[in-house]
């Protein structure tokens, strides 16, 4: 198995960062505006992505762990085949005046080209999350930074 | 062993992207302004990084492969212990009107927290490379985007 890793520090209280990750309203502010769903372990979060107003696809995520002081995890239930069964983990801790996110998208079966793409896009979205929490303005899809012909 | 992966597409001819990766003058425009060294296999490239004018550290890299149409590789000779012996590979190809970079920093012995950090920073620097080639303006260190308390 192969994993995508990232580390970002956000100048804000941990509870505020957690809210932005663990609620559909939060996620709509940094990942994709079309995010709906629940907040509790076992509940679903549904994300959809559009390009030029056309539905490109999305992910159905089951909340697998939700510990406000330290950790939030989605398990991917549906979406692109490479994502199904993988887990998206956010481990949180406080350091200096930063909340540190240790991000792991774990359980890729092969390091396919789509994994390379998703790794860079996750960096883009984590910086969007940082901007959202620090300034109130994120860059969720469809306003996310384009990085290539794959968007 | 563990690897950092990224994929970025640059709207420019492959030869122009290759120049920006494979020459010290190019690297100085997107990674760190203090980059010196050679261009041929076996030659060294020396990079130094500063924060607030103070030397933070750097990497001595040996050019391990240099194929203008497709591939460029550095082997890390000195720097932080986690980097020594690892390889930094840029595979290039043309797709649509983009030059695609498949980036791999391979050979991390453990997925330590510093690897999480470097993964996100590589995304930042690859976007700086994209900007340099497409617009003429990169954001090399010390003007790179800060992502956390670790810079």
């Amino acid at each position: 198995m192969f994993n995508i890793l990232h580390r970002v520090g956000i100048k804000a209280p941990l509870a505020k960062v957690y809210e932005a990750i663990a609620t559909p309203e939060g996620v709509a502010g940094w990942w994709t505006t079309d995010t709906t769903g629940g907040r509790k372990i076992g509940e679903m979060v549904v994300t959809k992505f559009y390009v030029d107003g056309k539905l490109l696809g999305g992910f159905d995520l089951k909340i697998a762990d939700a510990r406000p002081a330290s950790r939030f995890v989605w398990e991917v239930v549906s979406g692109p085949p490479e994502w199904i069964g993988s887990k998206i983990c956010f481990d949180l801790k406080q350091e200096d005046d930063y909340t540190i996110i240790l991000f792991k998208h774990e359980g890729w079966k092969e390091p396919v080209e789509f994994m390379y793409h998703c790794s860079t896009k996750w960096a883009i979205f984590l910086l969007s999350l940082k901007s959202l929490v620090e300034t109130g303005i994120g860059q969720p899809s469809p306003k996310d930074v384009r990085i290539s012909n794959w968007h």
Side-chain angles (χ1 to χ4, degrees), chain A:
Chain A
M1 291 292 190
F2 301 88
N3 305 327
I4 293 168
L5 309 177
H6 287 295
R7 182 184 189 276
V8 168
I10 299 180
K11 269 200 177 173
L14 194 149
K16 199 175 166 193
V17 175
Y18 185 85
E19 271 296 290
I21 297 168
T23 67
E25 297 77 14
V27 174
W30 62 270
W31 195 16
T32 179
T33 53
D34 190 347
T35 301
T36 53
R39 296 154 177 259
K40 293 178 193 159
I41 293 176
E43 291 183 339
M44 297 296 297
V45 173
V46 176
T47 61
K48 290 178 184 163
F49 295 78
Y50 303 83
V51 172
D52 300 328
K54 201 182 127 195
L55 181 65
L56 194 70
F59 311 106
D60 293 356
L61 311 162
K62 191 168 78 180
I63 299 174
D65 206 348
R67 304 183 213 177
S70 61
R71 187 172 167 79
F72 186 79
V73 180
W74 288 311
E75 190 185 325
V76 182
V77 174
S78 72
E82 298 91 341
W83 279 51
I84 295 173
S86 68
K87 285 187 176 174
I88 300 164
C89 312
F90 301 82
D91 281 298
L92 304 180
K93 61 179 176 176
Q94 199 85 41
E95 254 180 45
D96 312 328
D97 46 354
Y98 287 86
T99 297
I100 305 297
I101 301 175
L102 294 180
F103 171 91
K104 179 157 63 166
H105 185 176
E106 70 178 5
W108 288 75
K109 289 182 190 74
E110 297 293 337
V112 291
E113 190 168 343
F114 185 47
M115 183 179 171
Y116 287 67
H117 169 76
C118 292
S119 175
T120 314
K121 282 302 280 197
W122 273 126
I124 294 288
F125 286 117
L126 290 165
L127 291 169
S128 168
L129 167 61
K130 176 175 167 67
S131 173
L132 173 71
V133 176
E134 290 180 349
T135 72
I137 300 170
Q139 279 191 278
S141 173
K143 289 191 175 167
D144 52 317
V145 175
R146 182 167 187 152
I147 60 168
S148 75
N149 56 337
W150 287 2
H151 207 289

